Amino acid sequence: MTTNGDAVPAPAPGCALCATPGSFGHRDPAEPRSGLCPACIASARPTREGLERAVVIVAVQSLAAAEALSLATAAPEELAYHLGAVKRSLRSVLQLLGPAEGGAGR
């Protein structure tokens, strides 16, 4: 229950990473492999937190490269490349916050 009286939806049973149906235990944020199915654990797939960190690291690197670019001396190709890299990085970070529904409106 929330403070305004609404019911909080219970998480669906299944693997926290690949959504395989089944009961794989409670998801504990302190334990990276909790809530994962045996197949995900055995294949050493990265956890969602690991994937999120990787996306953020790449986004920060793209932004740093774009910030280091001198606008006065940059060729049009360099500007287009860095603008595209920043756009892709921003899109990746935003998809972490809320995946796009159907890709409409591009």
Side-chain angles (χ1 to χ4, degrees):
M1 277 282 190
T2 60
T3 56
N4 64 1
D6 294 334
V8 176
C15 178
L17 189 60
C18 69
T20 299
S23 178
F24 304 109
H26 178 70
R27 177 77 179 119
D28 180 12
E31 174 58 42
R33 304 284 181 209
S34 66
L36 300 182
C37 68
C40 285
I41 293 171
S43 67
R45 289 185 184 165
T47 62
R48 175 157 176 89
E49 291 84 12
L51 294 172
E52 289 173 351
R53 278 193 298 269
V55 166
V56 170
I57 288 169
V58 170
V60 168
Q61 290 173 345
S62 295
L63 289 174
E67 287 176 350
L69 183 67
S70 172
L71 297 178
T73 60
E77 296 83 17
E78 288 178 295
L79 293 173
Y81 171 78
H82 285 290
L83 182 60
V86 169
K87 178 183 169 187
R88 286 187 302 276
S89 296
L90 181 58
R91 179 179 291 150
S92 297
V93 170
L94 291 175
Q95 285 176 342
L96 287 176
L97 302 174
E101 305 259 340
R106 285 188 179 199

